[in-house]
Amino acid sequence: MNNLELLWGVGSMVMVGAGWTVFGYLMGKAPKEGIDVTGLLFICTGIEFLCSGIIACIMGIPQAALSGWLIGFGVLVLCGIVNYFQLEFMSKAMQKGPNGIVWTVTQSGFVFPFAVGIIFFGVPLGWVRGVAFLLIITSLIMFGGKDEKNGNFGNWKFTALLAFLATGVCQILSNLPSYFPEADSIPSMWRTAAFALGLLFGCILVRIRQLRNFSGLIIGQLKNHKVWWMAALGGFSNLIFSFLFLYPGMNILADIDAGAIAYPVMVCSCLLIFEFYSVIFLHEKRSAMQIVALLLCLCGVAGICL
């Protein structure tokens, strides 16, 4: 295993994880500002799709087999659709529960692509990673315990669980193209455009019965100056991190048989950054059980990366 390749791959995942916290911030803040989450995501993703699509077309249409397009482009469109629902569930949970804990539970969905890498693509497990996996599952059970404010398994916890499951499906789909050589010919900018297109479809699918009202919602949102800076922040940050770090980094790790650690590394960095944000800026309090659960989760993520 080339140490420089491993370092670049892991470093790229850390950068993407840091970039993810932008969406965590936006999904928690938007409802508090009276901004419709679906409308914000539609505008945000529209910026990303237009920019990535234009750049991708300038770079040229890659010469790839049909299987390459289905895996490297089509799968990521589906991934974007699922990702919309993940963000929707997460935003709803954040409106009722502690943002940092909701973020931790949601992002722990990376255990799904980790398991897929081991079961289907021959990624080694080992006893350290096995114990780490159990630590993460234990932490999730502890997060789902009794909450004095909301009672046993409050509404925010059920919605956070849905976000957790959607995250797992989304990350499996996102990581899948890196395991297939025929998808290598689909550049990262085309993959970014595919993911953004899927997010747009997700927004439209939710409001398909109210499409006329939805167009009015978008126009109304565009009149709010807060929507502009939030959409620009989300759209351009995701575009930059996806193009420069996400897909190139996942390809490098997959090439050196370390693809299963891609999402754990991303999750570890984003969990730490968002937790500091929640405690310092949102002034959220943590119970003793939540602190222990968070530490177990972080230890589990670190162990999976070994």
Side-chain angles (χ1 to χ4, degrees):
M1 182 183 294
N2 189 311
N3 290 332
L4 287 178
E5 288 182 329
L6 179 62
L7 181 62
W8 172 250
V10 170
S12 296
M13 298 302 99
V14 170
M15 292 298 295
V16 175
W20 277 357
T21 59
V22 173
F23 267 94
Y25 162 75
L26 293 177
M27 293 303 98
K29 186 174 181 61
K32 298 174 183 177
E33 297 290 339
I35 297 173
D36 184 86
V37 170
T38 303
L40 175 62
L41 283 174
F42 187 84
I43 298 170
C44 203
T45 309
I47 293 174
E48 183 181 351
F49 176 68
L50 286 175
C51 292
S52 59
I54 291 171
I55 296 173
C57 289
I58 292 174
M59 293 173 62
I61 299 176
Q63 299 298 316
L66 178 60
S67 59
W69 276 105
L70 289 175
I71 297 172
F73 192 89
V75 167
L76 291 174
V77 171
L78 181 59
C79 175
I81 294 174
V82 177
N83 188 243
Y84 167 78
F85 290 98
Q86 178 238 27
L87 292 171
E88 180 80 11
F89 291 140
M90 183 177 70
S91 178
K92 289 181 178 179
M94 283 180 168
Q95 293 176 52
K96 298 181 179 179
N99 287 17
I101 299 302
V102 171
W103 179 261
T104 301
V105 172
T106 300
Q107 298 306 327
S108 295
F110 79 87
V111 297
F112 290 97
F114 176 72
V116 167
I118 292 170
I119 296 171
F120 296 102
F121 297 102
V123 175
L125 177 59
W127 71 269
V128 174
R129 287 182 174 176
V131 171
F133 186 87
L134 292 177
L135 286 177
I136 293 169
I137 299 301
T138 302
S139 73
L140 292 176
I141 294 173
M142 293 175 69
F143 279 132
K146 188 174 182 179
D147 182 32
E148 295 179 358
K149 181 179 179 181
N150 296 299
N152 191 32
F153 211 73
N155 290 335
W156 71 267
K157 293 177 182 177
F158 177 71
T159 314
L161 176 62
L162 293 178
F164 163 74
L165 296 174
T167 297
V169 176
C170 179
Q171 292 185 2
I172 288 173
L173 294 171
S174 178
N175 213 15
L176 200 59
S178 295
Y179 286 107
F180 293 90
E182 54 266 43
D184 286 345
S185 56
I186 307 297
S188 59
M189 190 52 71
W190 280 96
R191 297 188 191 188
T192 302
F195 178 76
L197 181 62
L199 258 175
L200 287 175
F201 282 155
C203 294
I204 294 172
L205 282 173
V206 170
R207 301 296 182 94
I208 193 69
R209 295 181 179 179
Q210 303 172 320
L211 206 53
R212 181 176 298 177
N213 294 337
F214 183 56
S215 61
L217 169 68
I218 298 300
I219 294 173
Q221 294 281 283
L222 290 173
K223 295 178 181 178
N224 187 340
H225 70 279
K226 293 180 181 179
V227 171
W228 279 99
W229 72 260
M230 294 176 78
L233 178 62
F236 286 115
S237 65
N238 199 43
L239 178 68
I240 292 170
F241 282 107
S242 295
F243 177 57
L244 295 180
F245 301 109
L246 177 59
Y247 300 116
M250 285 197 299
N251 285 344
I252 290 173
L253 291 175
D255 289 342
I256 59 176
D257 296 324
I261 73 169
Y263 275 102
V265 173
M266 284 187 273
V267 168
C268 189
S269 61
C270 77
L271 287 183
L272 286 172
I273 294 172
F274 200 82
E275 182 64 16
F276 282 126
Y277 161 74
S278 299
V279 173
I280 295 173
F281 294 100
L282 298 181
H283 308 294
E284 293 182 354
K285 305 297 183 181
R286 296 288 180 264
S287 67
M289 180 176 289
Q290 288 173 335
I291 292 174
V292 172
L294 178 64
L295 292 175
L296 287 178
C297 184
L298 292 175
C299 289
V301 172
I304 281 179
C305 294
L306 296 177

